[in-house]
Amino acid sequence: MRTYHCFWLLFWAGQPHQSFLTPLSKRTSGFPEKEKVLVLSGNSRRDLHRSKRSWMWNQFFLLEEYTGTDYQYVGKLHSDQDKGDGSLKYILSGDGAGDLFIINENTGDIQATKRLDREEKPVYILRAQAINRRTGRPVEPESEFIIKIHDINDNEPMFTKDVYNASIPEMSDVGTFVVQVTATDADDPTYGNSAKVVYSILQGQPYFSVESETGIIKTALLNMDRENREQYQVVIQAKDMGGQMGGLSGTTTVNITLTDVNDNPPRFPQSTYQFRAPESMPPDSPVGRIKANDADVDENAEIEYSITEGDGYDMFGITTDKDTQEGIITVKKALDFENKSLYILKVEATNTHMDPRFLYLGPFKDSATVRIQVEDVDEPPVFSRPAYIMEVKEDVPINTVIGTVTAQDPDAAKNPVKYSVDRHTDMDRVFNINSGNGSIFTSKTLDRETLLWHNITVIAAEINNPKQSSRVPVFIKVLDVNDNAPEFAMFYETFVCENAKAEQLIQTLSAVDRDDSYSGHQFSFSLAPEAASSSNFTLQDNRDNTAGIFTRKARYNRHEMSTYFLPVVISDNDYPIQSSTETVTIRVCACDHRGKMLSCNAEALIHPTGLSTGALIAILLCIIILLVTVVLFAALRRQRKKEPLIISKEDIRDNIVSYNDEGGGEEDTQAFDIGTLRNPEAIDDNKLRRDIVPETLFMPRRTVTARDNTDVRDFINQRLKENDTDPTAPPYDSLATYAYEGNGSVAESLSSLESVTTDGDQDYDYLSDWGPRFKKLADMYGAMDSDKDS
């Protein structure tokens, strides 16, 4: 049996054997190297025994990034079955076989056809085999080997960021951590120093430094002040080959910002400020603004202002504007130029957020002096009090002085003042005031029971400048005097039973008084003198502002006396004593044995303060009669009919006959103007129409009387023309009576009187030819002729 063995890689020293140099291709070598031979052996143990294990390898090494023009020689495959007669053929397969790597099938020489990059692929795995050319059968088993690409320094270090941003507080100590930068190298870190990176600073000294191995940037200068410089730009270099010459490098930029700390106290730009304030300035009004400068920013520059000293400590205040960090000086109380015209204040500005680390730099506050000059203005008069309270008795006579108000001009000129009452607060003009001295007096009588308090307003104005005025409220209390007599608390109307016993209580009385009593009211009750002896009842004063009415006798008869009126005198104990006489109505009623009323004048008891039944009935009757009258009047107006002008057909006197033919009415303005038929002799110069009121009273014009023989047509045309030009002619339909008919009428006169005087009979057949308007006349007179004939 044939024994198969692995490929062996032998390095032979010296020049290569002639048998390995085949004309397949040129073998390139940049520097002298040993020939690499991979031996395929499979004969006997003796052959294996001859081979030294230290010379046997299963891998080739190849440098990356070959720059020569020829193919790069990798190594040689050789089988111990190869006799050099060309009977064997070497075959290569695996990664890159036939493309990146080619083999001379006769000699077994392997070459690389392209430049290789370790960063793309560091190891290639291939398989080699020798076969018999004639049979095509392998003479050695297939063996696997690798080609490792050796790294060269062909990649520079790359930082993870192109630009780094960092910040640290100002005034930091030396060695304070800022930021760490990181660079990576794509070269092989296990082969040489190609991937060993060293950091250095190119720009940013002497303020910052960087650790060469870690890339940590630290501060290198003490007390860096943000107010002097806030932004720093540092350039860091990363270099491979351990920083040695010939190494590749890359750079990055680090932007470092110093953040603010409170290391600067506030400072006023000037030591003294001056402001002016008019004395009329109301409280809480701003006088001026001051500002202390602080080089810090944000909360480290926040300032609080306060007034620490000065004669205006209680007159002025100061607050901080959070947006501008200015101190706003305001007025706390009303200013008075005449009292004090100059105030001097000491204002202090203090940081609100202080850093204890920098207290050694000094106090973080500053102070300045503020002078405020008060300016004089023309002020209105000032009353001696903010309000006045006065008292007056209600019985004082008119023009009694009840009090005085006083106001003065606070200005140095001391202008005179006049007083007046604001009538909007005293509409009834109950009070008045002396314009010169401010004394208030009554102008009408007072009544405490009507109005207890009077609240008026008094105006004080300068005589020279009335616009300068001020007001003050005056509260006037009306004091009570005993001017009202006591009276019953209610209307008393009671009853007594017919079977009542003597000394029986039938009613308890109480009284009220509109007057005010500081010690309380004390009323006394008694019967009037005229009823004290003859009364059927007695009155007992209970001494507690009440009294009781008792029966004097037993049994009463309502048929003899149905009602008793008992006069009672009520008096008070004030001065002067006031008394009144009130009447108690007592009705006699029938009662049962328990004293419960059965019957009497119940209406009065049920409605003691209302109208009587008779009055209510009378009112209802009046209302009913009024309603009936209105209804009848409306019905008559609707049903009213005109009386017939001709009562009987036999009456043939001159009358106006109603034909029930109304025509167009008032809207029919095209029919005819009946006013043209007016008799000129019947016109009265001073007579106007009574059915309407004319808009303008024009005197009617006197027209020329027509002659007796004037034709009716000419007369109508003449009257029509006159009425068209007459402004007094009514522009509406009206009824007028004309006694003049004219001459030459075809029908002649229609008068029945004239017909009677004629000797012959009249023929009225022509009336039928006049149309339907005269049909009634034709029927009427035709009927009369027929009667006569019969």
Side-chain angles (χ1 to χ4, degrees):
M1 295 182 61
R2 177 182 291 270
T3 303
Y4 298 96
H5 301 278
C6 297
F7 289 108
W8 298 96
L9 182 64
L10 302 179
F11 288 92
W12 293 356
Q15 295 296 329
H17 275 268
Q18 183 70 29
S19 60
F20 295 136
L21 296 178
T22 61
L24 177 64
S25 64
K26 294 184 179 179
R27 183 165 59 100
T28 61
S29 59
F31 50 89
E33 61 176 9
K34 295 180 179 180
E35 184 180 12
K36 292 167 284 187
V37 180
L38 185 62
V39 179
L40 302 177
S41 176
N43 291 331
S44 64
R45 290 182 181 269
R46 187 173 55 86
D47 296 334
L48 293 175
H49 180 71
R50 285 194 313 239
S51 301
K52 293 183 179 181
R53 301 285 298 191
S54 59
W55 291 0
M56 299 178 185
W57 302 89
N58 63 345
Q59 61 182 357
F60 292 106
F61 294 93
L62 189 65
L63 290 177
E64 66 171 338
E65 300 297 341
Y66 171 69
T67 58
T69 57
D70 297 331
Y71 291 159
Q72 187 177 8
Y73 181 76
V74 178
K76 183 180 181 64
L77 292 179
H78 181 71
S79 175
D80 54 2
Q81 300 295 326
D82 189 0
K83 304 301 182 181
D85 55 0
S87 62
L88 295 182
K89 179 181 179 181
Y90 294 96
I91 299 175
L92 185 66
S93 63
D95 293 340
D99 182 18
L100 291 178
F101 303 101
I102 59 175
I103 188 172
N104 190 317
E105 61 182 15
N106 296 320
T107 62
D109 292 326
I110 301 173
Q111 292 177 313
T113 62
K114 296 180 181 179
R115 294 177 57 182
L116 301 178
D117 189 355
R118 188 202 67 84
E119 285 72 33
E120 293 182 1
K121 191 174 181 64
V123 176
Y124 294 87
I125 302 175
L126 295 98
R127 291 176 296 278
Q129 193 175 33
I131 62 175
N132 189 293
R133 288 181 181 273
R134 290 191 300 272
T135 64
R137 297 179 63 182
V139 298
E140 298 284 352
E142 186 179 57
S143 297
E144 185 178 87
F145 66 97
I146 63 174
I147 299 176
K148 293 186 66 176
I149 308 301
H150 270 177
D151 183 46
I152 63 172
N153 190 19
D154 60 341
N155 291 282
E156 71 275 5
M158 299 291 293
F159 284 94
T160 56
K161 295 181 181 179
D162 294 334
V163 178
Y164 289 82
N165 293 304
S167 62
I168 57 168
E170 63 173 333
M171 309 298 290
S172 297
D173 296 333
V174 174
T176 301
F177 174 83
V178 178
V179 71
Q180 183 177 11
V181 296
T182 303
T184 57
D185 196 317
D187 293 327
D188 188 1
T190 63
Y191 183 76
N193 294 328
S194 298
K196 185 177 182 181
V197 178
V198 175
Y199 300 94
S200 61
I201 185 168
L202 301 182
Q203 178 183 323
Q205 295 176 332
Y207 308 105
F208 301 96
S209 62
V210 63
E211 292 183 357
S212 60
E213 295 182 358
T214 62
I216 296 176
I217 301 175
K218 299 180 180 180
T219 57
L221 189 64
L222 185 64
N223 295 334
M224 286 189 291
D225 194 357
R226 184 199 67 83
E227 287 73 31
N228 292 331
R229 183 176 177 182
E230 183 177 4
Q231 298 286 340
Y232 293 86
Q233 190 175 74
V234 178
V235 178
I236 302 297
Q237 174 184 266
K239 190 174 184 180
D240 58 13
M241 298 298 292
Q244 297 177 3
M245 186 175 295
L248 302 178
S249 64
T251 60
T252 187
T253 301
V254 182
N255 295 322
I256 302 174
T257 302
L258 297 184
T259 58
D260 186 56
V261 298
N262 192 7
D263 60 339
N264 293 280
R267 290 288 181 263
F268 283 104
Q270 58 192 70
S271 60
T272 303
Y273 296 85
Q274 292 189 1
F275 298 101
R276 293 182 177 272
E279 61 176 338
S280 60
M281 181 175 289
D284 297 329
S285 298
V287 176
R289 291 172 175 253
I290 60 176
K291 183 177 182 181
N293 299 325
D294 193 326
D296 297 321
V297 294
D298 299 332
E299 68 174 12
N300 297 319
E302 293 182 1
I303 301 173
E304 183 178 357
Y305 297 89
S306 60
I307 299 176
T308 57
E309 298 178 10
D311 51 4
Y313 182 81
D314 59 340
M315 296 295 296
F316 298 92
I318 189 168
T319 58
T320 302
D321 189 334
K322 299 300 182 181
D323 296 330
T324 62
Q325 295 301 315
E326 292 178 313
I328 306 174
I329 301 174
T330 57
V331 178
K332 293 172 60 177
K333 297 181 180 179
L335 302 175
D336 188 0
F337 173 81
E338 290 72 24
N339 185 26
K340 189 175 180 61
S341 61
L342 179 63
Y343 293 90
I344 300 177
L345 310 174
K346 184 178 180 180
V347 178
E348 187 174 83
T350 307
N351 277 138
T352 56
H353 300 86
M354 287 184 288
D355 194 334
R357 297 177 299 170
F358 305 104
L359 293 179
Y360 69 91
L361 297 177
F364 282 76
K365 59 184 178 180
D366 195 14
S367 60
T369 301
V370 178
R371 298 168 60 89
I372 301 176
Q373 182 72 42
V374 181
E375 297 179 339
D376 186 23
V377 296
D378 190 5
E379 298 177 279
V382 178
F383 284 94
S384 59
R385 300 179 190 174
Y388 292 85
I389 300 178
M390 300 179 183
E391 295 180 346
V392 59
K393 291 186 176 181
E394 61 178 329
D395 61 345
V396 297
I398 297 176
N399 295 328
T400 300
V401 176
I402 61 176
T404 303
V405 297
T406 304
Q408 291 183 350
D409 184 10
D411 299 324
K414 300 297 180 183
N415 294 320
V417 177
K418 64 177 181 180
Y419 303 91
S420 61
V421 176
D422 186 356
R423 290 306 174 188
H424 292 90
T425 61
D426 186 22
M427 301 293 291
D428 297 331
R429 296 181 176 270
V430 180
F431 301 97
N432 211 333
I433 191 170
N434 189 307
S435 61
N437 57 21
S439 60
I440 301 174
F441 56 90
T442 60
S443 57
K444 290 184 179 180
T445 57
L446 304 175
D447 186 7
R448 187 201 69 86
E449 288 72 32
T450 303
L451 187 59
L452 177 61
W453 284 93
H454 294 267
N455 302 329
I456 66 174
T457 299
V458 175
I459 303 173
E462 295 182 7
I463 296 178
N464 298 334
N465 186 10
K467 293 183 179 180
Q468 293 295 335
S469 62
S470 57
R471 298 167 176 261
V472 67
V474 179
F475 307 103
I476 302 173
K477 183 179 181 181
V478 181
L479 301 178
D480 184 48
V481 295
N482 193 25
D483 59 345
N484 291 280
E487 56 189 13
F488 279 150
M490 58 179 293
F491 176 76
Y492 289 104
E493 184 174 3
T494 186
F495 70 95
V496 61
C497 295
E498 289 182 309
N499 56 357
K501 298 178 181 180
E503 301 299 327
Q504 180 180 343
L505 177 65
I506 62 174
Q507 183 65 49
T508 300
L509 307 177
S510 63
V512 294
D513 194 337
R514 297 176 61 193
D515 294 324
D516 191 13
S517 178
Y518 298 102
S519 59
H521 290 291
Q522 186 64 42
F523 303 125
S524 60
F525 300 85
S526 63
L527 291 177
E530 64 272 13
S533 58
S534 61
S535 176
N536 294 304
F537 303 92
T538 60
L539 181 69
Q540 178 180 339
D541 192 348
N542 297 328
R543 303 298 180 184
D544 60 353
N545 293 336
T546 64
I549 299 177
F550 295 86
T551 57
R552 177 174 284 183
K553 64 178 183 178
R555 299 197 136 323
Y556 294 84
N557 191 341
R558 59 179 174 144
H559 299 291
E560 295 178 357
M561 179 67 75
S562 62
T563 305
Y564 292 93
F565 298 98
L566 187 63
V568 178
V569 179
I570 311 172
S571 303
D572 57 20
N573 63 344
D574 291 332
Y575 180 82
I577 296 176
Q578 300 287 340
S579 63
S580 65
T581 300
E582 301 287 333
T583 301
V584 180
T585 302
I586 305 173
R587 299 187 183 274
V588 180
C589 301
C591 303
D592 58 10
H593 66 281
R594 292 177 296 182
K596 185 177 181 181
M597 181 183 64
L598 295 178
S599 64
C600 62
N601 193 1
E603 293 78 7
L605 293 177
I606 296 173
H607 306 287
T609 59
L611 297 175
S612 64
T613 304
L616 292 174
I617 293 174
I619 292 173
L620 290 175
L621 287 175
C622 292
I623 293 174
I624 292 172
I625 292 171
L626 181 61
L627 290 175
V628 170
T629 303
V630 172
V631 172
L632 290 176
F633 179 75
L636 288 175
R637 288 194 62 185
R638 291 182 179 180
Q639 298 178 1
R640 184 175 58 186
K641 296 181 179 180
K642 297 182 180 179
E643 296 181 357
L645 297 178
I646 299 178
I647 300 175
S648 174
K649 294 182 179 181
E650 302 297 331
D651 191 355
I652 56 175
R653 294 171 298 175
D654 287 340
N655 291 297
I656 299 177
V657 181
S658 176
Y659 296 99
N660 293 329
D661 188 2
E662 298 181 356
E666 293 183 357
E667 296 181 356
D668 188 3
T669 59
Q670 305 296 328
F672 55 87
D673 186 5
I674 198 169
T676 59
L677 299 177
R678 190 178 301 162
N679 189 355
E681 296 179 353
I683 295 178
D684 189 358
D685 292 343
N686 297 324
K687 188 175 182 180
L688 299 175
R689 291 192 56 178
R690 291 177 295 175
D691 55 343
I692 64 168
V693 178
E695 296 181 359
T696 308
L697 294 178
F698 292 97
M699 295 303 294
R701 296 190 303 174
R702 188 68 177 178
T703 58
V704 181
T705 304
R707 293 178 298 176
D708 294 339
N709 58 353
T710 304
D711 187 77
V712 175
R713 181 182 302 172
D714 297 336
F715 171 74
I716 291 177
N717 291 332
Q718 179 183 356
R719 296 303 299 273
L720 178 61
K721 182 178 181 181
E722 291 176 357
N723 280 277
D724 287 341
T725 58
D726 186 4
T728 62
Y732 41 79
D733 294 343
S734 60
L735 180 62
T737 301
Y738 299 95
Y740 177 74
E741 296 183 357
N743 295 327
S745 174
V746 177
E748 296 182 351
S749 176
L750 298 178
S751 174
S752 60
L753 295 178
E754 186 179 357
S755 300
V756 174
T757 58
T758 59
D759 296 334
D761 295 334
Q762 296 288 337
D763 184 9
Y764 298 102
D765 294 336
Y766 58 88
L767 293 176
S768 301
D769 300 330
W770 287 8
R773 292 176 179 263
F774 296 89
K775 186 176 184 302
K776 185 67 175 179
L777 287 175
D779 294 341
M780 183 177 63
Y781 286 95
M784 291 176 61
D785 293 340
S786 63
D787 291 339
K788 289 180 181 181
D789 294 337
S790 63

